[in-house]
């Protein structure tokens, strides 16, 4: 026998409308005692709301889309999880698309999610061209950019302080007495990479070190790219530290330092950016500027849900702070217990 909402209301001693308020989180409040009776009745009767009918009534699918540049990169995996957790807490299901740093693939995912009538869309733009721009400009579906700005379009955006964080990391290396600090940067056409290079340059200049005399090598946000860049920078033997624009690149850089017969941090100090979980397990553990993944996720989801409820909300850019986690790779004491 099919269990109906009216059956739940009868067992709970309330009305079907109140059952609806409990299931949908509003629009009217329900006392804790009544809510408990409704939830107990739902459990006892095994009631399952009709999701399709609910979506039609609400004119919503209760799904959100997320397109990221590369799901194999732990940074995007951790970011995606934070967004999913925040979306799930608000009753949304998250669909994830991997652009694989390919513009056509990114555009396909954006078009597919919009065609599937997601209630909102998150986009971490891949580097290079952005073929999805026309679709985003035409759509009435609310969307939010995360981690990177999308040039040529006004959009609600959630970022971290890339420039300030890079400056702090470089200043920390300078504080250890390092004066020849090279930079392993990300792709030249990605905003976080350029901002982090700018922060590195600012810190050196303020310390009286000419950035033009230090080597900077751009590459993909990956371990192999970091390995190759470190080999290139350190071949001259005239640097005593590296600021690396991402943790994944820094893991590769540590390998290169070891292969060159250098000790980290004694001969070559290293500081990086992102704060992925794996940085606590390298040897030595990486000093890194940690991004607030949970706060990024909750801020982005709150912003998107707000725009779903009120599409006329002006597009704003939120910049969140990053935090230095000092470990052994810079010369600070090596923590125990992988923290």
């Amino acid at each position: 026998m099919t269990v109906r909402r009216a059956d739940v209301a009868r067992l709970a001693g309330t009305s079907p409308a109140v059952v609806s308020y409990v299931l949908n989180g509003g629009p009217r409040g329900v006392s804790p005692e009544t809510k408990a009776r409704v939830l107990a009745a739902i459990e006892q009767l095994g009631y399952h709301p009709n999701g399709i009918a609910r979506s039609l009534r609400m004119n919503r699918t209760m799904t959100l889309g997320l397109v990221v540049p590369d799901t194999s990169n732990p940074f995007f995996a951790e970011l995606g999880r934070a967004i999913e957790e925040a979306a799930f807490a608000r009753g949304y299901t998250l669909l994830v698309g991997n652009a694989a740093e390919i513009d056509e693939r990114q555009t396909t995912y954006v078009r597919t999610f919009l065609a599937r009538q997601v209630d909102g869309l998150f986009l971490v733009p891949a580097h290079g061209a952005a073929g999805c721009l026309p679709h985003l400009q035409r759509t009435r579906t609310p969307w939010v950019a995360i981690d990177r700005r999308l040039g040529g379009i006004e959009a609600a955006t959630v970022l971290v302080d890339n420039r300030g964080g890079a400056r702090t990391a470089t200043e920390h290396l300078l504080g250890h007495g390092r004066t020849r600090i090279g930079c392993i940067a990300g792709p030249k056409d990605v905003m976080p990479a350029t901002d982090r290079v700018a922060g590195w340059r600012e810190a050196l200049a303020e310390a009286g070190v000419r950035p033009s005399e230090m080597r900077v090598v751009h590459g993909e946000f990956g371990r192999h790219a970091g390995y190759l860049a470190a080999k290139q920078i350190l071949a001259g033997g005239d640097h005593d530290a590296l600021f690396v624009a991402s943790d994944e690149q820094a893991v590769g850089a540590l390998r290169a330092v070891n292969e060159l017969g250098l000790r980290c941090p004694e001969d070559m100090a290293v500081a990086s950016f992102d704060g992925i979980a794996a940085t606590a397990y390298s040897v030595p553990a990486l000093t890194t500027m940690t991004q607030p993944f949970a706060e990024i996720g909750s801020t982005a989801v709150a912003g998107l849900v707000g725009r779903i409820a009120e599409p006329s909300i002006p597009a704003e850019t939120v910049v969140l702070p990053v935090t230095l986690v000092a470990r052994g790779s810079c010369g600070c004491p090596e923590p125990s217990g992988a923290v």
Side-chain angles (χ1 to χ4, degrees), residues 135-180:
H135 305 283
L136 294 172
Q137 288 173 318
R138 289 194 300 266
T139 187
R140 294 184 178 180
T141 302
W143 64 281
V144 172
I146 303 175
D147 185 58
R148 308 171 180 181
R149 290 189 183 91
L150 194 59
I153 187 171
E154 183 180 358
T157 308
V158 179
L159 308 171
V160 299
D161 185 6
N162 292 289
R163 191 166 185 156
R167 186 170 58 247
T168 296
T170 307
E171 288 170 347
H172 188 73
L173 291 171
L174 289 162
H176 278 283
R178 309 294 170 144
T179 59
R180 307 288 297 176

Side-chain angles (χ1 to χ4, degrees), residues 78-117:
E78 294 188 32
L79 178 61
R81 178 175 178 176
I83 294 168
E84 189 275 334
E85 291 281 359
F88 185 81
R90 290 175 175 264
Y92 287 90
T93 298
L94 186 70
L95 306 178
V96 180
N98 174 30
E101 294 288 9
I102 300 171
D103 178 57
E104 292 80 5
R105 184 162 169 160
Q106 175 175 262
T107 300
T108 296
Y109 269 118
V110 168
R111 293 177 61 185
T112 299
F113 286 162
L114 293 177
R116 293 196 177 194
Q117 297 184 327

Side-chain angles (χ1 to χ4, degrees), residues 37-107:
R37 293 203 312 272
V38 170
L39 293 176
I42 290 172
E43 179 69 21
Q44 181 177 333
L45 296 173
Y47 174 64
H48 298 287
N50 186 321
I52 295 176
R54 179 169 177 262
S55 294
L56 289 172
R57 287 194 302 272
M58 298 176 64
N59 196 29
R60 293 183 186 175
T61 62
M62 297 307 294
T63 58
L64 304 173
L66 167 65
V67 185
V68 298
D70 182 8
T71 53
S72 70
N73 187 322
F75 169 76
F76 295 119
E78 294 188 32
L79 178 61
R81 178 175 178 176
I83 294 168
E84 189 275 334
E85 291 281 359
F88 185 81
R90 290 175 175 264
Y92 287 90
T93 298
L94 186 70
L95 306 178
V96 180
N98 174 30
E101 294 288 9
I102 300 171
D103 178 57
E104 292 80 5
R105 184 162 169 160
Q106 175 175 262
T107 300

Side-chain angles (χ1 to χ4, degrees), residues 29-337:
V30 178
S31 71
E33 296 80 8
T34 302
K35 183 177 180 179
R37 293 203 312 272
V38 170
L39 293 176
I42 290 172
E43 179 69 21
Q44 181 177 333
L45 296 173
Y47 174 64
H48 298 287
N50 186 321
I52 295 176
R54 179 169 177 262
S55 294
L56 289 172
R57 287 194 302 272
M58 298 176 64
N59 196 29
R60 293 183 186 175
T61 62
M62 297 307 294
T63 58
L64 304 173
L66 167 65
V67 185
V68 298
D70 182 8
T71 53
S72 70
N73 187 322
F75 169 76
F76 295 119
E78 294 188 32
L79 178 61
R81 178 175 178 176
I83 294 168
E84 189 275 334
E85 291 281 359
F88 185 81
R90 290 175 175 264
Y92 287 90
T93 298
L94 186 70
L95 306 178
V96 180
N98 174 30
E101 294 288 9
I102 300 171
D103 178 57
E104 292 80 5
R105 184 162 169 160
Q106 175 175 262
T107 300
T108 296
Y109 269 118
V110 168
R111 293 177 61 185
T112 299
F113 286 162
L114 293 177
R116 293 196 177 194
Q117 297 184 327
V118 295
D119 295 329
L121 180 69
F122 301 106
L123 176 66
V124 183
H127 71 80
C132 61
L133 269 177
H135 305 283
L136 294 172
Q137 288 173 318
R138 289 194 300 266
T139 187
R140 294 184 178 180
T141 302
W143 64 281
V144 172
I146 303 175
D147 185 58
R148 308 171 180 181
R149 290 189 183 91
L150 194 59
I153 187 171
E154 183 180 358
T157 308
V158 179
L159 308 171
V160 299
D161 185 6
N162 292 289
R163 191 166 185 156
R167 186 170 58 247
T168 296
T170 307
E171 288 170 347
H172 188 73
L173 291 171
L174 289 162
H176 278 283
R178 309 294 170 144
T179 59
R180 307 288 297 176
I181 305 172
C183 178
I184 298 176
K188 290 183 178 180
D189 57 355
V190 175
M191 182 273 295
T194 56
D195 280 0
R196 291 171 195 177
V197 171
W200 165 77
R201 293 185 191 278
E202 286 177 2
L204 292 181
E206 290 171 4
V209 178
R210 292 183 180 180
S212 59
E213 295 180 357
M214 302 296 106
R215 295 183 185 177
V216 54
V217 176
H218 290 268
E220 299 298 320
F221 286 126
R223 298 181 186 185
H224 186 61
Y227 168 82
L228 294 177
K231 283 283 187 98
Q232 184 177 341
I233 290 174
L234 302 181
D238 54 353
H239 286 73
D240 58 13
L242 292 171
F243 166 65
V244 189
S246 75
D247 293 336
E248 279 290 273
Q249 290 172 307
V251 171
L254 287 179
R255 172 72 185 218
V257 168
N258 181 266
E259 285 187 5
L260 291 169
L262 301 173
R263 298 168 302 162
C264 179
E266 292 84 354
D267 304 317
M268 188 61 52
V270 177
S272 58
F273 203 112
D274 282 338
I276 63 174
T279 55
Y281 295 88
S282 62
V283 180
L286 274 167
T287 290
T288 182
M289 299 305 302
T290 299
Q291 299 202 40
F293 290 104
E295 189 176 0
I296 295 170
S298 61
T299 301
V301 170
L304 186 57
V305 170
R307 296 179 71 79
I308 291 171
E310 182 50 68
S312 63
I313 293 177
E316 295 182 345
T317 296
V318 177
V319 181
L320 300 174
V322 291
T323 304
L324 175 70
V325 175
R327 301 190 180 108
S329 69
C330 66
C332 285
E334 186 74 41
S336 61

